[in-house]
């Protein structure tokens, strides 16, 4: 089995009770395999409790955030700086298209956030919407997520995702490329089978603990 990332992006969903319920179902289903990196990215308010539950259960789950501040600690009201988030998270999703669309996030801002993540020991997972999206300096993990495929039930074809991944890697040999956009337990294998795709970023299908358990089960059959 090649090394793969299965990353759950809960977006603005699940309170603490719902998050803990999910972990109690999914946690025991994840095999401890060095090649399997499972990450769950909840809303900020769930991070502390989720981290505790994962530690107590001894589950092989990493915790991630869905964003972080482009600034250091200091007078930036409302922001979540990497230097504080790193108490809880090992990874941060950055530059998601929903942030670019709804919050005016620019490539420059994504680069500043990437720098903050790297300076504070957090792995930046940078979302790129196509071949032309700039890859910030120092990023080693990106997710190709075409906007048309997000939350629509219409994923990109595995062949096209492979072509984009290959092109991104040929320009940036340090990269591992994930695919995201309407991934579920049925289509997962077709993406993981592509030689240049190192995993998946999953929104909607990650919310259901049973479906996410199936996704893990399918991924480890690889
Ligand atoms: P989706 O979302 O799986 O619901 O399409 C993916 C994402 O936005 O990361």
């Amino acid at each position: 089995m090649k090394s793969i990332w299965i990353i759950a992006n809960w977006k603005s969903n699940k309170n603490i009770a719902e998050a803990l319920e999910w972990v109690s179902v999914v946690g025991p289903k994840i095999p401890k395999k060095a090649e399997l990196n499972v990450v769950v990215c909840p809303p900020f308010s769930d991070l502390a409790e989720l981290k505790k539950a994962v530690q107590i259960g001894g589950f092989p789950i990493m915790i991630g955030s869905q964003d972080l501040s482009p600034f250091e600690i200091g007078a930036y009201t409302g922001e979540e700086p990497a230097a504080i988030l790193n108490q809880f998270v090992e990874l941060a999703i950055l530059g998601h298209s929903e942030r670019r669309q709804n919050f005016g996030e620019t490539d420059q801002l994504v680069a500043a956030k990437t720098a903050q993540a790297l300076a504070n020991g957090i792995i930046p997972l940078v979302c790129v919407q196509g071949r032309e999206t700039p890859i910030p300096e120092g990023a080693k993990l990106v997710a190709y997520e075409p906007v048309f495929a997000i939350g629509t039930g219409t994923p990109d074809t595995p062949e096209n995702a492979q072509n984009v991944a290959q092109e991104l890697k040929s320009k940036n040999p340090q990269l591992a490329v994930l695919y995201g956009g309407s991934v579920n337990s049925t289509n997962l294998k077709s993406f993981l089978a592509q030689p240049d795709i190192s995993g998946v970023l999953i929104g909607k299908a990650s919310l259901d603990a049973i479906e996410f358990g199936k996704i893990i089960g399918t991924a480890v059959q690889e």
Side-chain angles (χ1 to χ4, degrees):
M1 184 178 150
K2 65 180 178 185
S3 176
I4 54 167
W5 294 83
I6 307 286
I7 304 185
N9 175 12
W10 285 356
K11 308 189 180 182
S12 296
N13 291 288
K14 293 196 190 291
N15 60 25
I16 290 173
E18 290 162 341
L20 296 182
E21 167 66 19
W22 185 97
V23 164
S24 73
V25 175
V26 172
K29 292 194 178 144
I30 305 178
K32 292 193 171 92
K33 285 187 177 227
E35 327 79 89
L36 180 66
N37 303 291
V38 177
V39 189
V40 57
C41 304
F44 290 125
S45 322
D46 295 344
L47 286 171
E49 288 299 319
L50 204 56
K51 177 162 176 158
K52 249 189 257 167
V54 164
Q55 277 176 339
I56 290 167
F59 302 132
I61 301 179
M62 287 186 243
I63 311 280
S65 61
Q66 302 167 18
D67 189 25
L68 49 72
S69 174
F71 299 108
E72 303 177 348
I73 54 169
Y76 304 103
T77 302
E79 285 298 283
E80 291 280 351
I84 292 176
L85 273 176
N86 66 6
Q87 297 176 104
F88 308 114
V89 309
E90 292 178 68
L91 176 146
I93 298 170
L94 300 177
H96 192 284
S97 59
E98 287 158 6
R99 295 209 56 82
R100 295 181 193 257
Q101 277 166 7
N102 299 322
F103 303 97
E105 244 179 52
T106 59
D107 294 331
Q108 221 177 359
L109 212 51
V110 177
K113 292 178 177 198
T114 302
Q116 280 299 316
L118 291 169
N120 290 284
I122 297 174
I123 300 168
L125 165 59
V126 178
C127 297
V128 302
Q129 289 71 43
R131 295 172 160 84
E132 279 77 44
T133 312
I135 312 251
E137 209 184 312
K140 294 202 174 92
L141 191 62
V142 301
Y144 162 58
E145 291 207 316
V147 171
F148 70 82
I150 294 181
T152 59
T154 309
D156 201 346
T157 62
E159 296 71 28
N160 193 54
Q162 161 60 24
N163 287 342
V164 174
Q166 190 179 35
E167 195 175 316
L168 291 171
K169 281 169 74 100
S170 70
K171 286 192 222 148
N172 309 271
Q174 82 284 5
L175 284 186
V177 181
L178 316 185
Y179 167 75
S182 298
V183 174
N184 56 35
S185 61
T186 310
N187 60 28
L188 174 77
K189 267 212 135 149
S190 61
F191 290 102
L192 294 185
Q194 304 303 321
D196 292 307
I197 294 182
S198 303
V200 286
L201 178 56
I202 308 175
K204 202 166 167 196
S206 76
L207 293 173
D208 178 354
I210 304 290
E211 169 69 358
F212 196 72
K214 271 195 214 162
I215 286 169
I216 301 290
T218 306
V220 295
Q221 277 165 20
E222 259 270 278

